[in-house]
Every structure is written in structure tokens, then in C-alpha cells.
Amino acid sequence: MSRPVHAIAEPVVHRPHWREPGDDHLRLECGVCGVWGAPDTDAASIVALGLHALQHRGQEACGIASVHQARFHTERHQGLVGEAFGGADLSQRLPGSAAVGHTRYSTAGGGFVRNIQPMFADLDSGGIAIAHNGNLTNFHYLRKILVGEGAIFQSTSDSEVILHLIARSRKAKIVDRFIDAISRIEGGYALVCQTRSKMIGARDPLGIRPLVLGRLGDAWVLASETCALDTIGAEFVRDVENGEVVVIDQGGLQSLKPFPERPARPCLFEYVYFSRPDSVVNGRSVYEVRKAMGRILAREHGAEADVVVPVPDSGVPAALGYAQQSGVPYEMGIIRSHYLGRTFIQPSQGARQKGVRMKHSPNRGVLAGKRVVLIDDSIVRGTTSVKLVRAVRAAGAAEIHLRSASPPILYPDFYGIDMPERDQLLAATKTLAEMRAYLEVDSLGFLSVDGLYEAMGAGARDPHQPQFTDHYFTGDYPTRLLDREIEEGGRDETARQLSLLVSA
């Protein structure tokens, strides 16, 4: 058997995982893309384009693994996709007709090259590379068992648990071993795996994290969002269903349903914030849903105002909907710079405090003397909102009425969103009046949970069997949180992160 070839590249650019004090932006940890059956030298280039379209899902690290004549070629880098995989020699560095790629954010302990995906293992049946979007909520539990059985972990990522489970499965065929492995994991996940002869995609039983299937000529494509298919010129075929495993090889595509059927509960934050507005997620246009959120927000929390101003970029569709519903003119009262990347992070506190004006510049000609409705997609800790409100006020706004196009965030997430603990969430620690005073606004309003469900076109929320994953608003977690239960039960004092172990 040919041996795999690895090129674990040095970082293109050093981007340490470090948040500004008070940085309260939500971050989805991953985006995945895989191609099977492309012309022999094109797979990695196609995946790189797909990852570029998914860059919003992770901007700290990226990787691609390709297969050529049964040999694996891998590169993993810190930095942006264009910096790592923009060279004309990519097809020579990563040859092959099949490839899988990943772009990610890291959480605590995760900013190491060894945690960058795709992760690779050389099994007795051959190599396998895996790209994973989401979080395993029984990661620590499984890891402790595997270590006790003699497993040696090379990373601190929960994704490596899946590789160990595949390696230790007693099933004969690789697809059966894969299914055996994912039958033991819990949480939210979308997986794309590459072997020497197959590409395998899978979505968790509730469909919390998205995964779509496309065709590019004779090639098959798997990706986190349809915007990746659009960028590479692929045709959308369908969503991978909740609990489905798709197997793609020389014989075509095979769909497997190895788990008991359950109603889907996709993540609402894909529509509120994470997915690109030009994507279609679970059959719904993200752009249209966000506009509907704005329209309903205007009905629920109207304001006497002169202009509706979005917090760019994710607040733009909701602000359009709000303006259309209310009849208040829409204006670009805040201009966002798209060229900063992470270079705005400076070592001095004074320089950091200027960061919000470098990223978001108030448009004084629009704001001066005006009663402003400021539309944001969500409010997490409120620190960024305070800076924006002060900047808009300093530009001459007479009144500021802040509106959130999502309900109040009351509970943390454990399915792939990098979110603060509950005691750091503004809405969980303050009343509406206290939040209004803290944010220094004239009025404050949040979209209701019922309003969000209406925007989704899903009817009223079923409290006994919710149609979506919405625990960050309701506290109704769709799965058990085994690692969290163990931590709170005092049986594992080290289980502080459910996604990654904290490393020195």
C-alpha cells in the first residue's frame, strides 16, 4: 500500500487567538467543503474557492487534504484561505481528484497548528482525513475512556475523538466503522471525511449544523452553505438530511439513514448571524428570513424616528425589513471597513479603544440631529454595542433607539458557537431597563421568540417539540450535555470547555 504524503506547512502568517477585552462577537467555529471526482489536478483548487466563500465561518486557520493515486497530501495553515491557498502552484502542492477542506476559529487552548483541520489518521485500511463543523457535548467523557484504553491524542480538538473511534471500531468496512463511531458521539456536527476511495458526509440526528450537497459537472461537492456551491459554480442538489450519511465513490452516491428518525431542529443562529445572506439554509433564504425578522421587529418595537441605520454587515437585511415595514428611511449611517482583518488588534489599551471606529465609522451627514433606529443582529455582552452607540451619539444623533433582530440571548451554546458563559450575557444578568441604561440608548427592543419563529415561516413555537434549536433564547437544549453534567456534578474539575481542552 502506498504511504500517505504529508506537508504540514508552517503558518503563512501568525494570528494568535486572542480577543480584545470586551469583544462580544459570536463566532461559529468552522466551515467545511469537500469535492469528489474533479479533474485530476483541480480538487484542491475547487475546495480552496469553496473555503474562501465560507471564510465568514472561520478566519483563524484553514487546511486542505487531497488524495492522488491513493496518497494523501495535506496542508494546514494559520491565517486566511487566500493567504494560505492562493498560489498558482496549489494543484502541484495538493494534487488529486478528491479533496476536503476546513476553515475555523479556535477557542481556548485551540490556537495551535496541531488543532487545524482536516485531521488525518493512517488506519489499517488506509488513510482518512476528517473536517468537522460543530461541537461534541460528550467529548471529555469519550476522551477519558479512549485515553484509558491507551489512545494517544495529538491535538486538543474534539474532532480527534472521531478518528480514534473510527480506528477502534471492529467493523470491517470503513463506512460501517464511520457509522459505528458517530453513533457514540453527541452534540451538533456536520462531517466531511475523505478516504482513498470515498468521500463521506454526515449530519447530526437533529440537523443542528448545516451541510449541503452539490454537483459540479461529474464531481460531487459537500459544503456548509450554498454560497460555497455558488462560488465554485456548482449546482445545488439538496440539503444533507438530519441523521443522514452520504457515501460518494466511483459507483455514485449512496444515502444511509443509520439512526432512528427524529424531527429536525436546525440552529436558528444560522439565520440570525452565521450564514451568509446569499445562502439558502434548510430551504430558507437567509436574506429573506433576516428581512422578515426586521419587518416583525418594526411591528413589535416601533419608534418615532427619522432614519433606520444598520450595524453592518449582518444587520443590513433586518434594517431593510424594518425600514420597509415602518416607512422610516433606511440610511447607511455606519460605514464598515472591510480591509482591517485582525490588524486592528494593538497591544495598548488606548489603541484597542479606537478599534471600533476603525471598523465602524459613523456617517455624520446621515446621523447629525436625527432620531436614529439602530438595528443590530444580536446583543451578546453589549460591550461592542456601547462603543457603537457612543460613536453614533458623538456624530450628533439626537436620539438612539437600539433594536436587536434576535431575541435576548440568555443561555450559552455548546454546539459549535463560541459564546460567553451565562454570567457574561447581558440579557441574562440585567433587566430591560438596566440594559437600556447600560447601553446608553433612549429605548431598547428585542425581537420576540414568537416573532423569530414567524420570520422562519414555521408557525408558532411548539414548546413540547420545538421546530428549531433555540436554547440560547429559551434554555431548551436539544440534546443532553453530558460533559456539562459531569462538570457540574463535580466529577471532572478540568472540564471547562466542551469543545477543546485548555492547554498551557
Side-chain angles (χ1 to χ4, degrees):
M1 182 184 73
S2 333
R3 305 303 296 171
V5 176
H6 306 283
I8 308 302
E10 290 300 315
V12 171
V13 59
H14 182 57
R15 296 179 183 273
H17 176 74
W18 178 80
R19 284 182 179 238
E20 287 184 283
D23 176 6
D24 62 349
H25 287 93
L26 297 176
R27 288 171 175 161
L28 191 64
E29 291 169 12
C30 313
V32 297
C33 183
V35 174
W36 172 267
D40 200 42
T41 60
D42 286 355
S45 298
I46 294 168
V47 167
L49 284 174
L51 292 181
H52 184 76
L54 299 171
Q55 188 76 85
H56 59 287
R57 300 182 74 89
Q59 299 176 19
E60 292 190 352
C62 53
I64 296 176
S66 68
V67 182
H68 181 60
Q69 297 178 354
R71 290 174 175 261
F72 278 82
H73 303 256
T74 67
E75 282 191 19
R76 300 182 292 169
H77 300 270
Q78 290 178 302
L80 301 176
V81 175
E83 297 170 340
F85 299 114
D89 62 341
L90 183 60
S91 297
Q92 286 72 49
R93 288 154 45 198
L94 296 170
S97 60
V100 60
H102 189 270
T103 186
R104 76 189 293 264
Y105 280 116
S106 59
T107 55
F112 302 105
V113 173
R114 67 174 185 258
N115 287 325
I116 301 173
Q117 298 184 35
M119 290 192 168
F120 178 85
D122 194 10
L123 309 181
D124 55 358
S125 58
I128 183 170
I130 183 169
H132 168 211
N133 170 27
N135 251 29
L136 308 187
T137 55
N138 63 341
F139 161 52
H140 289 282
Y141 173 79
L142 291 173
R143 188 182 191 277
K144 186 174 182 180
I145 290 174
L146 290 165
V147 170
E149 293 175 351
I152 299 173
F153 279 75
Q154 300 297 316
S155 77
T156 57
S157 169
D158 57 351
S159 309
E160 191 176 0
V161 161
I162 303 170
L163 285 177
H164 281 283
L165 292 173
I166 294 171
R168 288 167 179 267
S169 172
R170 296 183 180 274
K171 302 290 185 179
K173 297 181 179 179
I174 188 63
V175 173
D176 295 329
R177 295 172 76 168
F178 176 84
I179 292 171
D180 190 30
I182 65 173
S183 69
R184 297 182 61 183
I185 63 178
E186 300 174 9
Y189 58 85
L191 299 170
V192 180
C193 295
Q194 184 68 63
T195 74
R196 292 180 300 164
S197 59
K198 303 178 190 297
M199 182 167 70
I200 307 171
R203 201 171 171 194
D204 65 82
L206 293 176
I208 297 173
R209 299 268 71 88
L211 190 64
V212 298
L213 177 69
R215 291 300 301 266
L216 180 62
D218 294 330
W220 291 94
V221 183
L222 288 167
S224 292
E225 293 182 38
T226 59
C227 65
L229 303 182
D230 296 337
T231 296
I232 65 179
E235 176 188 359
F236 171 75
V237 176
R238 63 177 177 87
D239 290 286
V240 175
E241 296 179 14
N242 57 301
E244 183 182 14
V245 175
V246 293
V247 182
I248 300 165
D249 58 19
Q250 294 291 348
L253 182 141
Q254 180 184 14
S255 172
L256 305 174
K257 296 288 186 68
F259 307 118
E261 188 171 339
R262 303 171 65 182
R265 286 186 65 177
C267 173
L268 278 175
F269 250 106
E270 291 288 345
Y271 302 91
V272 170
Y273 182 77
F274 290 123
S275 294
R276 243 174 56 169
D278 55 329
S279 284
V280 176
V281 178
N282 302 303
R284 295 174 174 86
S285 162
V286 174
Y287 178 78
E288 292 300 333
V289 169
R290 288 179 184 168
K291 280 185 68 178
M293 289 158 56
R295 290 195 295 269
I296 296 165
L297 182 62
R299 294 205 314 257
E300 294 183 344
H301 297 284
E304 292 292 329
D306 303 306
V307 292
V308 174
V309 172
V311 176
D313 289 320
S314 54
V316 168
L320 282 169
Y322 192 103
Q324 291 169 0
Q325 178 69 33
S326 66
V328 178
Y330 169 94
E331 297 286 356
M332 293 300 293
I334 299 173
I335 308 302
R336 182 190 171 196
S337 172
H338 292 264
Y339 306 103
L340 290 172
R342 291 177 57 87
T343 59
F344 70 90
I345 296 179
Q346 301 294 331
S348 71
Q349 177 68 15
R352 286 198 300 267
Q353 289 173 342
K354 297 175 182 176
V356 69
R357 288 180 181 250
M358 293 175 66
K359 290 188 292 184
H360 295 103
S361 300
N363 186 351
R364 185 176 293 273
V366 167
L367 300 171
K370 303 292 180 57
R371 298 170 297 172
V372 177
V373 178
L374 190 61
I375 307 290
D376 207 347
D377 58 83
S378 57
I379 299 173
V380 186
R381 286 189 287 196
T383 49
T384 299
S385 299
V386 169
K387 294 175 183 177
L388 281 171
V389 166
R390 289 175 179 172
V392 170
R393 190 86 70 184
E399 296 177 9
I400 300 176
H401 303 277
L402 181 59
R403 300 291 183 263
S404 168
S406 80
I409 300 173
L410 299 171
Y411 299 92
D413 179 82
F414 304 110
Y415 302 101
I417 303 174
D418 185 9
M419 185 182 289
E421 289 288 339
R422 191 159 194 246
D423 60 2
Q424 298 179 52
L425 295 171
L426 187 70
T429 57
K430 297 182 186 298
T431 66
L432 185 66
E434 289 170 340
M435 285 190 283
R436 185 195 61 76
Y438 173 80
L439 295 169
E440 303 175 8
V441 293
D442 296 277
S443 72
L444 176 65
F446 292 85
L447 182 67
S448 67
V449 172
D450 288 340
L452 180 52
Y453 269 71
E454 181 184 345
M456 294 293 297
R461 182 182 189 271
D462 183 346
H464 304 294
Q465 194 173 74
Q467 301 93 309
F468 298 97
T469 290
D470 61 9
H471 52 276
Y472 17 73
F473 308 131
T474 65
D476 188 349
Y477 289 89
T479 73
R480 69 171 181 169
L481 304 175
L482 182 58
D483 286 343
R484 190 73 167 184
E485 293 167 6
I486 292 173
E487 176 191 354
E488 292 176 348
R491 286 173 284 167
D492 186 354
E493 295 297 326
T494 65
R496 301 296 298 173
Q497 281 275 344
L498 294 184
S499 61
L500 297 168
L501 292 178
V502 178
S503 296

